């Protein structure tokens, strides 16, 4: 619920988490899926902040990272 609210911009973004999600080939467990959702919310918040600051190059990198995380989540649900 918190991650969804962060994605929608309803709560302040958490501090950046340096944990890396499991590799794409690994099956998603509930905890790894939760970590990816949290990471996606943080990356989206970073994207919004960078866009507002006019740092479009860095924002584009965050958007690419978000796409990768979402693809991993989608692949894990199959």
């Amino acid at each position: 619920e918190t991650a969804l609210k962060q994605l929608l911009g309803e709560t302040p973004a958490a501090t950046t988490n340096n944990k890396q999600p499991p590799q794409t080939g690994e099956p998603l467990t509930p905890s790894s899926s939760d970590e990816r959702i949290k990471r996606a919310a943080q990356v989206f918040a970073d994207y919004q902040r960078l866009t507002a600051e006019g740092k479009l190059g860095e924002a584009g990198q965050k958007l690419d990272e978000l796409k990768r995380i979402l693809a991993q989540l989608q692949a894990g649900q199959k």
Side-chain angles (χ1 to χ4, degrees), residues 16-49:
T16 303
N17 184 349
N18 290 332
K19 286 185 176 181
Q20 294 296 320
Q23 297 299 316
T24 305
E26 295 178 23
L28 286 180
T29 62
S31 63
S32 67
S33 180
D34 289 346
E35 287 298 316
R36 285 186 180 161
I37 291 168
K38 289 176 186 176
R39 181 68 186 146
Q42 179 59 51
V43 169
F44 184 69
D46 291 345
Y47 165 79
Q48 289 180 312
R49 178 184 50 81

Side-chain angles (χ1 to χ4, degrees), residues 62-74:
K62 291 293 181 180
L63 186 58
D64 289 340
E65 184 178 355
L66 180 59
K67 288 178 187 178
R68 180 185 54 80
I69 294 168
L70 292 174
Q72 290 172 344
L73 283 165
Q74 187 176 26

